Amino acid sequence: MNKHLQQNPNHQSLIDMIRKTKNNKRWSLRTLKQFHASLIVKSFNSDRPSLRELIFAAAVDLLGSINYAHQLFDQVFHPDLFMYNTMIRGSANSPSPSKAIDFYTQLDRHLRPDNYTFPFILKACARISDVSLGSQFHAKVLKFGFESDVFTRNSLISLHASCGDIAVAEALFDGGSARRDAVARSAMIAGYAGRGELAVARALFDETPAASRDLVSWNVMITGYAKRGDMECARRLFDEAPERDVVSWNALVSGYVSLGSRCEALALFEEMRAVGETADEVTMTSLLSVCADSGALDAGRRIHNALLEVARSAGLSVIAGNAVIDMYSKCGSIDRAVGVFWGMRERDVFSWNSVIGGLAVNGRAEEALRLFDEMRKARVRPDEITFLGVLAACSHGGRVEEGQFYFNLMKSEYGIEPNVKHCGCMVDTLGRAGLLEEAFEVIGLMGVDRYPIIWRALLGACRLHGNVKLAEHANRMLVKMGPYESGNYVLLANAYGGIGAWVGMENVRKMMNDRGVTKEAGCSLIEEGKNAIGLKGDKIADVVESDSKLFMDS
């Protein structure tokens, strides 16, 4: 136990110790419980000043301890107004802001609210976007005569600007001294920006004296432009801002990610780390998808490490863990993906899907199927994405009988109707094994003959096994659907070339010329240093489009 608690403090000295501990930033839930235990042991558990300090520390000072504050509050007979206001404030800022309304309802039965009650009640209404309830509390503010209180007025402006009647917010803002108040201005700017009225928000922002523009206003404008995709304006404001915090950086990074500007997003993340800022989990998860798409393994590894620093002892969240698995899988580092999976404290169906699919597309069919068995033993119900990974594993591993078994298992045991991607994997599995007639039968039985991807899978298999007759049929179906898709002609030409039918191959090339079909240059991505660089060749790569990665792409 904390050495200070070994003394025999009176009530005031205990309060002083609590305040000293908070001021020294040595506060933790463990310390909070120690002080609570001391109150009980020293028979101070009914001492209101000490209880007020503890409840305020748990509800407001210590992040993430609101539930313990609830436990403390529930043990108090006849809580006073300060305690109610504290619980309303803590709840309004918590992940469950609606609980603030519950505390107000209790308060209203026994006590008269004061000017400290309403700002956080109004904040809770804004956070849950309950305009009707917010309007009811606005009426109560008028009833109790708190409309002139600065904090209450600003909370009313924020509520109506963000989710209520903007005309009411404007009336409050234009009345009295609100226009000179930086908090009120920020609320109006945020309200206009949140409604997509960036021009109005920008006009108000520009007319605000530079010394009065707070960080919230800068962040609101940067975020507004970034969400609209106007990264030029967002970056200009970002560079002009006198100070920045993690919100500023995250807004800009997220904007680049949304636009698919991979290099800019990753470069900004590196710049962010260089100045000592850490992106939040949502932003880093988005960045991981950028790394996965561009094959930027080194950058992905750095983001993974940054996530671990943020998570610390709590470990990766399920969402972050899934994103890390997906990144490592797509970058070909499947062993790391598996390691992350087994290191997760909690897993959901997406976690299992990510690693099963990753093993499948990285040629580890046996492990993917073994992991699927583990999933079933763990009583995690597979979904259609799970079976997509399982069928892809069967395709890559040449496991025809197992593929057929799992294809039937989908519907018989789990009631999942196979979609075109599942059928494509089955066609691919049979085609790779040379069972072309059986693959053709699956297309007819499953009624998926209107999908080009199915015929490409069959055409690729025909090329592999030299079945020109079936390849010609598949090509005819494809030409009907997309007569200018060069890949379809290339696959057929290669099927002719595979058996030495050079005349047929030349006829395909002539057909392409007659129809004006041109081959696109092949493109691949490699990672060089920190940047993903696209390399284009002068002729299309001979890629068999029946590869089951096509069917995994969702």
Side-chain angles (χ1 to χ4, degrees):
M1 181 175 284
N2 190 309
K3 64 180 181 180
H4 295 296
L5 301 184
Q6 295 173 0
Q7 306 170 14
N8 184 19
N10 57 34
H11 297 202
Q12 186 58 46
S13 64
L14 184 62
I15 293 172
D16 290 341
M17 280 193 296
I18 294 173
R19 290 175 179 172
K20 183 179 178 181
T21 301
K22 288 195 291 184
N23 291 337
N24 291 340
K25 298 181 179 178
R26 301 201 314 259
W27 210 232
S28 67
L29 184 57
R30 184 170 179 271
T31 309
L32 187 69
K33 290 180 177 179
Q34 288 177 351
F35 278 117
H36 187 201
S38 179
L39 278 179
I40 296 170
V41 169
K42 304 299 181 182
S43 300
F44 295 163
N45 202 34
S46 60
D47 178 58
R48 287 189 173 271
S50 300
L51 285 171
R52 287 192 198 106
E53 288 291 334
L54 281 181
I55 290 172
F56 190 88
V60 178
D61 289 333
L62 188 58
L63 188 66
S65 62
I66 187 67
N67 290 334
Y68 193 70
H70 281 269
Q71 295 174 29
L72 286 168
F73 183 86
D74 290 342
Q75 295 174 19
V76 178
F77 291 101
H78 306 300
D80 59 26
L81 183 57
F82 178 87
M83 294 178 184
Y84 273 114
N85 284 346
T86 298
M87 292 306 298
I88 289 170
R89 177 178 176 179
S91 298
N93 291 319
S94 77
S96 302
S98 59
K99 289 184 178 178
I101 314 301
D102 298 334
F103 280 107
Y104 179 87
T105 303
Q106 295 178 44
L107 180 158
D108 200 37
R109 294 187 191 126
H110 310 292
L111 300 166
R112 178 187 173 89
D114 64 8
N115 59 313
Y116 293 104
T117 307
F118 289 104
F120 294 103
I121 278 290
L122 293 167
K123 181 176 182 178
C125 292
R127 286 194 61 200
I128 61 177
S129 298
D130 194 329
V131 181
S132 175
L133 191 59
S135 297
Q136 292 176 41
F137 281 113
H138 190 169
K140 288 182 180 291
V141 167
L142 297 174
K143 173 185 174 182
F144 288 109
F146 297 131
E147 65 272 17
S148 60
D149 177 74
V150 173
F151 297 105
T152 304
R153 180 204 64 201
N154 288 348
S155 296
L156 283 169
I157 291 173
S158 181
L159 167 72
H160 289 294
S162 64
C163 60
D165 188 340
I166 192 66
V168 174
E170 289 170 339
L172 289 165
F173 182 65
D174 290 331
S177 60
R179 274 195 165 269
R180 297 191 297 275
D181 189 298
V183 175
R185 279 182 171 274
S186 294
M188 289 302 295
I189 292 169
Y192 287 126
R195 294 166 186 264
E197 298 181 41
L198 275 180
V200 182
R202 183 61 187 266
L204 186 57
F205 177 82
D206 287 341
E207 75 177 42
T208 304
S212 300
R213 293 176 188 164
D214 60 9
L215 182 57
V216 174
S217 297
W218 285 95
N219 286 344
V220 163
M221 292 308 305
I222 293 168
T223 303
Y225 282 120
K227 284 185 176 179
R228 197 171 71 178
D230 188 348
M231 296 309 298
E232 184 178 345
C233 282
R235 182 70 205 224
R236 190 182 306 121
L237 280 176
F238 179 84
D239 292 335
E240 292 173 359
E243 60 176 320
R244 308 180 189 104
D245 63 2
V246 67
V247 176
S248 322
W249 289 91
N250 283 337
L252 208 59
V253 172
S254 297
Y256 283 126
V257 169
S258 298
L259 285 179
S261 302
R262 300 169 181 174
C263 293
E264 289 87 347
L266 292 174
L268 196 63
F269 173 72
E270 297 296 344
E271 187 181 339
M272 187 177 184
R273 284 175 61 82
V275 299
E277 284 286 4
T278 303
D280 64 17
E281 184 179 289
V282 174
T283 301
M284 285 193 277
T285 300
S286 299
L287 281 167
L288 284 169
S289 69
V290 169
C291 296
D293 293 339
S294 60
L297 178 59
D298 285 345
R301 196 180 296 131
R302 286 193 291 274
I303 295 168
H304 180 199
N305 290 335
L307 275 169
L308 292 175
E309 289 172 14
V310 171
R312 294 179 183 168
S313 59
L316 292 178
S317 70
V318 174
I319 293 173
N322 293 348
V324 173
I325 292 170
D326 183 62
M327 182 275 297
Y328 280 133
S329 296
K330 288 181 177 176
C331 290
S333 187
I334 189 61
D335 288 329
R336 284 196 178 93
V338 173
V340 171
F341 173 80
W342 288 118
M344 292 171 67
R345 294 185 179 181
E346 294 182 37
R347 307 181 191 97
D348 60 11
V349 66
F350 300 106
S351 314
W352 291 90
N353 289 351
S354 295
V355 75
I356 289 172
L359 287 165
V361 298
N362 280 279
R364 307 265 281 268
E366 186 174 344
E367 292 172 67
L369 297 179
R370 190 162 58 242
L371 194 64
F372 177 64
D373 289 338
E374 291 288 335
M375 180 182 185
R376 296 179 70 196
K377 288 176 185 175
R379 297 187 177 181
V380 179
R381 184 179 178 83
D383 60 15
E384 60 181 28
I385 304 298
T386 315
F387 279 102
L388 198 56
V390 169
L391 293 173
C394 293
S395 175
H396 277 281
R399 298 166 178 262
V400 177
E401 291 184 4
E402 287 171 275
Q404 291 172 321
F405 169 77
Y406 290 123
F407 189 77
N408 294 326
L409 184 72
M410 288 175 60
K411 187 171 182 179
S412 63
E413 186 168 333
Y414 296 103
I416 300 172
E417 287 289 341
N419 61 31
V420 63
K421 293 182 180 180
H422 299 115
C423 295
C425 277
M426 200 64 239
V427 169
D428 192 56
T429 302
L430 294 167
R432 283 171 181 258
L435 302 173
L436 300 176
E437 296 295 337
E438 289 86 341
F440 187 76
E441 288 176 10
V442 168
I443 295 173
L445 288 172
M446 299 305 298
V448 290
D449 55 344
R450 66 186 183 278
Y451 296 101
I453 197 170
I454 297 293
W455 292 109
R456 287 195 194 103
L458 185 61
L459 184 53
C462 292
R463 167 196 176 274
L464 189 65
H465 295 284
N467 189 324
V468 172
K469 183 179 178 181
L470 202 51
E472 288 173 338
H473 175 73
N475 184 256
R476 282 194 296 273
M477 298 299 294
L478 282 168
V479 168
K480 286 181 183 178
M481 301 175 197
Y484 301 106
E485 291 289 334
S486 61
N488 303 334
Y489 295 94
V490 172
L491 285 172
L492 180 60
N494 289 338
Y496 280 120
I499 61 170
W502 310 116
V503 174
M505 192 173 181
E506 281 303 316
N507 288 337
V508 172
R509 294 185 185 278
K510 185 176 182 301
M511 191 189 310
M512 291 177 68
N513 290 331
D514 291 343
R515 294 178 178 177
V517 179
T518 58
K519 295 187 293 182
E520 296 177 2
C523 180
S524 62
L525 281 173
I526 64 169
E527 185 184 4
E528 183 178 292
K530 294 180 182 178
N531 299 317
I533 304 173
L535 297 180
K536 291 194 174 183
D538 58 358
K539 60 181 181 179
I540 193 167
D542 252 356
V543 177
V544 180
E545 291 186 88
S546 64
D547 191 325
S548 55
K549 289 183 184 180
L550 286 170
F551 307 108
M552 293 289 291
D553 182 16
S554 59

